């Protein structure tokens, strides 16, 4: 309540707070309140798209909302939010990082839908952008991407590749 009284209703710090509250509700399994708070964060961020930092946070808001819908098995809605995130990410100068996040999330949605072909496509796109962004080749997302690719290779019975991808995941 202090922030609400002290800051204008469109202040970026409120968006960050709403985002964090949304993540807490998600972790508690309360998707309704998580969605309410993530949408409040998104509304503030969408109205402030003038800076790169705000663009990045808006992409994250769209991704957070998409992952809420994924958890509820509402894949079509999740993908709708991810496409909106991708559209903003494509206009951002640090798009490698953002596109890695968006494509990774798209891959996980398609994997959850058992659409292995599209999951593979998006994991590989995420990998391409993550390798551009993460010069040290040591990010957790890179590890997750390799792990996801390993799972796909395992499901498709391509037994030489999953071992390589799982090992790459461990090396990070």
């Amino acid at each position: 309540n202090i922030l609400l009284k002290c800051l204008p209703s469109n202040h970026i710090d409120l968006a960050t707070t709403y985002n964090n509250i949304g993540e807490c509700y998600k972790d508690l399994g309360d998707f309704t309140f998580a969605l309410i708070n993530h949408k409040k964060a998104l509304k503030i961020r969408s109205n402030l798209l003038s800076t790169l930092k705000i663009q990045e946070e808006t992409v994250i808001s769209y991704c957070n909302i998409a992952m809420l819908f994924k958890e509820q098995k509402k894949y079509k809605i999740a993908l709708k939010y991810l496409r909106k995130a991708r559209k903003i990410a494509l206009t951002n100068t640090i798009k490698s990082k953002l596109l890695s996040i968006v494509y990774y999330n798209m891959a996980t949605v398609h994997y959850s839908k058992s659409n292995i072909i599209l999951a593979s496509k998006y994991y590989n796109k995420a990998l391409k952008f993550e390798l551009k962004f993460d010069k040290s080749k040591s990010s957790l997302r890179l590890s997750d991407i390799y792990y996801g690719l390993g799972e796909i290779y395992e499901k498709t019975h391509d037994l030489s590749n999953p071992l390589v991808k799982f090992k790459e995941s461990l090396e990070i």
Side-chain angles (χ1 to χ4, degrees):
N1 284 339
I2 295 171
L3 285 178
L4 290 172
K5 290 177 185 175
C6 295
L7 298 174
S9 62
N10 66 342
H11 196 280
I12 193 61
D13 288 347
L14 287 176
T16 302
T17 303
Y18 285 130
N19 181 76
N20 292 340
I21 292 170
E23 286 298 291
C24 289
Y25 276 120
K26 180 189 86 170
D27 292 343
L28 292 170
D30 190 333
F31 297 120
T32 301
F33 281 111
L35 184 60
I36 288 168
N37 283 282
H38 279 303
K39 283 190 172 183
K40 286 180 181 180
L42 177 61
K43 182 179 179 184
I44 293 168
R45 289 171 172 166
S46 294
N47 290 331
L48 301 171
L49 277 175
S50 59
T51 67
L52 291 177
K53 178 71 175 155
I54 304 298
Q55 288 176 5
E56 182 177 339
E57 290 179 7
T58 303
V59 168
I60 299 303
S61 283
Y62 277 120
C63 288
N64 287 340
I65 292 170
M67 294 300 95
L68 285 173
F69 284 113
K70 176 191 160 218
E71 292 296 318
Q72 298 174 72
K73 298 181 180 1
K74 296 178 181 178
Y75 303 124
K76 192 174 187 175
I77 299 170
L79 290 169
K80 178 182 100 170
Y81 278 94
L82 289 170
R83 283 190 290 275
K84 289 179 179 184
R86 180 179 57 193
K87 184 177 178 181
I88 295 169
L90 285 168
T91 66
N92 195 292
T93 57
I94 54 169
K95 64 181 155 197
S96 288
K97 175 185 174 188
L98 296 176
L99 286 172
S100 171
I101 295 167
V102 173
Y103 288 139
Y104 172 78
N105 287 325
M106 288 177 133
T108 65
V109 170
H110 285 294
Y111 187 83
S112 294
K113 290 175 58 178
S114 297
N115 189 335
I116 302 303
I117 293 170
L118 283 176
S120 178
K121 172 185 171 182
Y122 287 111
Y123 274 128
N124 280 300
K125 282 186 171 204
L127 179 61
K128 173 185 157 190
F129 286 104
E130 189 65 25
L131 290 172
K132 278 184 187 177
F133 171 73
D134 180 19
K135 302 300 181 196
S136 69
K137 313 270 185 282
S138 63
S139 74
L140 181 57
R141 186 171 308 99
L142 185 58
S143 176
D144 290 342
I145 293 167
Y146 282 134
Y147 190 86
L149 285 168
E151 286 185 318
I152 286 174
Y153 292 138
E154 190 174 42
K155 274 193 181 251
T156 58
H157 305 293
D158 178 358
L159 298 180
S160 61
N161 278 318
L163 187 57
V164 171
K165 295 304 175 193
F166 288 141
K167 282 183 176 180
E168 286 175 335
S169 175
L170 278 176
E171 289 172 7
I172 295 173

